[in-house]
Amino acid sequence: MNAEIAYQWRKQLVWGLLMIAVGGAFLLERAGYIDFDIDITRLWRYWPWLAVISGITQLIPPTTPKYILGGLGSLFTAGWWYVSFNRIWGWGFEDTWPAVIIAFGLGLLLRPLLDNIYASAGEKK
């Protein structure tokens, strides 16, 4: 099985399980078994967790350098957004934007390194 097909299966599995869990939780809430005390206006602050799930899905092996960098990028973006929006440590977007430039530079440096690692691992097989 190649990495593209494995990634599609992982993605469907993770998002399918997430949808089942969310739907089941809402169904239990509607049936009266659990009680959600959710302020819908504050719920949207937690959307970066969707990017975390996406990033983790890309990092689960078997993977390729493209998926590793994409997963790390998703995890960084989610963390950066969460820290900046909620002003954790007093840092907002105006304070943390240089981190995006640094992360982009790290991605540029990591891509050839990961390509070489995966190429040499392929030659050893």
Side-chain angles (χ1 to χ4, degrees):
M1 172 183 342
N2 68 21
E4 293 288 327
I5 294 171
Y7 173 66
Q8 292 301 323
W9 286 5
R10 285 192 315 265
K11 188 169 74 169
Q12 283 185 270
L13 176 70
V14 169
W15 288 109
L17 290 173
L18 180 67
M19 296 299 290
I20 290 168
V22 169
F26 280 119
L27 188 60
L28 290 172
E29 192 267 337
R30 294 286 182 213
Y33 291 110
I34 58 176
D35 184 29
F36 287 140
D37 187 22
I38 297 175
D39 180 8
I40 199 72
T41 59
R42 295 186 55 154
L43 188 61
W44 69 276
R45 288 183 171 204
Y46 299 103
W47 76 263
W49 287 104
L50 296 175
V52 168
I53 293 168
S54 175
I56 290 171
T57 301
Q58 291 177 349
L59 292 175
I60 298 171
T63 190
T64 64
K66 176 179 119 179
Y67 290 134
I68 290 174
L69 289 175
L72 292 174
S74 293
L75 292 174
F76 171 80
T77 302
W80 172 70
W81 177 268
Y82 190 75
V83 166
S84 300
F85 188 81
N86 292 308
R87 301 198 63 83
I88 295 175
W89 304 302
W91 296 356
F93 289 104
E94 67 277 1
D95 303 314
T96 59
W97 66 266
V100 175
I101 297 171
I102 293 168
F104 186 73
L106 284 172
L108 290 174
L109 291 176
L110 282 176
R111 180 62 189 254
L113 177 67
L114 290 172
D115 284 340
N116 286 337
I117 290 170
Y118 274 79
S120 66
E123 291 172 1
K124 290 180 183 178
K125 288 184 179 183

